[in-house]
Structure formats: C-alpha cells, structure tokens
Amino acid sequence: MDGYRAAGRAPSVELDKTLTFRTVHEEVAGPKWQSLFHYHWPAYEPWYLAEGERERPSYLQCYNALRLHMPELLGTYHTLCELAGGGDLSSRLLSLYRPPPYITGCSQAVLASPTSTVLARNYDYPPELCEGTILYTRWNQRRVIAMSDCLWGVLDGMNDSGLAVSLAFGGRKVVGDGFGAPIILRYILEFCDTVPEAAAVLARVPTHMAYNITVADACGRYVTAMIAPDRRASIRRVAVATNHQKKIEWYAHALASETLIRERQLSILVDDEATTDERLVAAFSAPPLFRHDYRRGLGTVYTAVYRPNEGRTQFRWPGMALDLTFEAFTEEQITVRYGSRGLHS
C-alpha cells in the first residue's frame, strides 16, 4: 500500500495516539473556518506535495473542473480560498481535484422503515490523520452537520432536508481523473434534498479513486453508489457497504480490513426483521465492526449515527456519546485516546 495516505503499515510513531474532536458552529464561513485552515495546513501541505508538485493539477485545471462538474460550489470555493489567504497551492488543494491517493476502512449501513431512517457508520483510519472537526454550516441554503475532511470535504454528514451521506474506500488500487469523494459529498449535502438527486450527482461527477457512497433520506429511500474513475457508477438499493466493490480486487487490503466479514455481519443485521435501530447501532460498538487495529491504521476512530427524520446525529466512542441537532449544537471538545489497550475518551 506504499504511496497511499494511511497505507496499512505499522507507523514509526508510538502506538498510543490522541485525537481531539471539536464541534464548530459557523453558518457563514469566516474566522472560525479560517482558524481551522491555519491549524491543519502545516499537515496538509506536505501531504499534497508528497508525490511532487508536478503531479498535482494547476489552479486553472482545478477551477475548470469545479466549474464543469460542480459549478454551484464555486461561490463557496472562492470564499474559502480567500479565507485561506488566496495562495495558489492552498486553492488547488481546496478544489480536491486529483488529490494524492489515500485509503480508509469503514463500515456503513442503513435501516429504513416508513417512519424512521438510520444511517450508521464506523470510520476506520489512523487517528493522527483525522481532522476530528464536526462542522455546522449554512454556506448555501441548507444547514449541514458533517465530519470534515480536507478542510471542507465531508466524511459523513446530514443536511436539514433530511439527506444523510457516508463514504467508504472501495478497495481498488485504480487512480484516475476526478475529485476526492469528500468534496462530492459536500456538494450533495449543499445542493441535494433527496436520494434520487444525490444518485444523479454520483452518476455524473468523476472521482479519482474507488469509493462506496451510501445515501439515505427521511422518506426511507437509500442507495449505495460504487464509484470509480475507470468505469460507470453502479448505484443500487443496497443498505450495506464496506471496502470492496462487487468482488475482491485488492486481496491484501481486503484481508487486512476484513471487509467480507464486516459486510456479512451488517447484511445479517439489516436483513433480520427483528433488528431495531438500537440493535444496529450497538453492533458498531463491537467486533467485527468496531476494530482496534490502530497499529496498521485500520482501527475505528468514531461511530456516527444519522437520523434524517429527526434532524439528529450522534457521534459515539466507548463510554461516551455526543448528541447534536440543527436546533441544539453546542461547541465543545472531546479528547479520545487510541492505543494497544483499547480506546478511551
């Protein structure tokens, strides 16, 4: 997995790691987002240049790609670029067009009924490479609560129209011409209200790597989109996604991440009529879904639970939960320690 961000090898740093999660409420991008940018930029700049600056697209290429595929985002993009100082390199990174490749673990599932929809997921990744920022924004017309990545992208999140999204790595080595999935998820939450609208975006916006994107809405609709740079998106009414697309193509990653075991566990749960929301959510706190493999960058960093019907989300760690809504979103910090003896908050 050399050359990939969070390549699943034992890191040279000590095993015990800490991550401080922050909830940040700023409806119009301003000084709070600017502060986050300056805090994270020293880590993002060397990552973005890891393969050499010539491997990254020019600013004009980035701008034109956004204008062609996600033009509604340009206003927000310009605002954030200005807050970041208007530099060429930071503006190119913020486009998330053809970024360096990176991999994650992740498990996600939807449990839907006529009256309730729940999207739950575990994010498996090196804690030291996760921003840990939960952003409440209203950059366009919709309010959005999302776990941030790459400064304004989305790992998982929900908008006030009752649309929830989550991403997982697709388990393939292919890299091509397209965007990092976090900005595609941001685009969906900013401008889509329903699963069919989100599916249309996932079918047409190009991605630079293989991802499995699960989308659910308050009407009980859901799909999982298997997207990749080298083939058309496969978008089906599938409630479960882990880290492969239809079949195993990267055997080493599949074995290390236990993608088939996790998929089977989730499939059994969502196919069982006796499974309640509480039972599904509880399963994400125990093996095989909850993973302690932090040494190889495949341990669970957090669990997220989205309830689109209620406009409510919960972020979970062993022994601790953070409940947030669009009406009740307090700014606070939670420090979590990850190590060989487990996870502590």
Side-chain angles (χ1 to χ4, degrees), residues 59-78 81 91-97 152 179 183-184 187 204-206:
Y59 171 75
L60 186 59
Q61 289 174 307
C62 295
Y63 175 83
N64 285 337
L66 275 173
R67 184 177 62 177
L68 176 62
H69 298 289
M70 296 181 281
E72 300 91 338
L73 268 186
L74 283 176
T76 304
Y77 173 68
H78 285 311
C81 287
S91 298
R92 289 155 66 187
L93 183 147
L94 287 171
S95 75
L96 272 181
Y97 177 60
W152 68 308
F179 293 91
I183 198 172
I184 302 175
Y187 180 54
R204 68 171 178 80
V205 176

Side-chain angles (χ1 to χ4, degrees), residues 145-203:
I145 295 174
M147 184 67 77
S148 177
D149 187 52
C150 295
L151 300 162
W152 68 308
V154 170
L155 297 175
D156 47 77
M158 176 177 64
N159 66 23
D160 62 1
S161 296
L163 185 66
V165 296
S166 176
L167 67 81
F169 174 58
R172 302 178 64 228
K173 292 184 179 181
V174 61
V175 178
D177 185 13
F179 293 91
I183 198 172
I184 302 175
L185 267 60
R186 168 62 68 182
Y187 180 54
I188 287 170
L189 291 182
E190 295 291 328
F191 298 104
C192 296
D193 295 324
T194 66
V195 164
E197 291 175 5
V201 169
L202 292 166

Side-chain angles (χ1 to χ4, degrees), residues 268-283:
I268 290 171
L269 281 169
V270 300
D271 290 342
D272 186 349
E273 294 183 357
T275 297
T276 62
D277 296 355
E278 292 73 21
R279 181 185 176 193
L280 176 68
V281 171

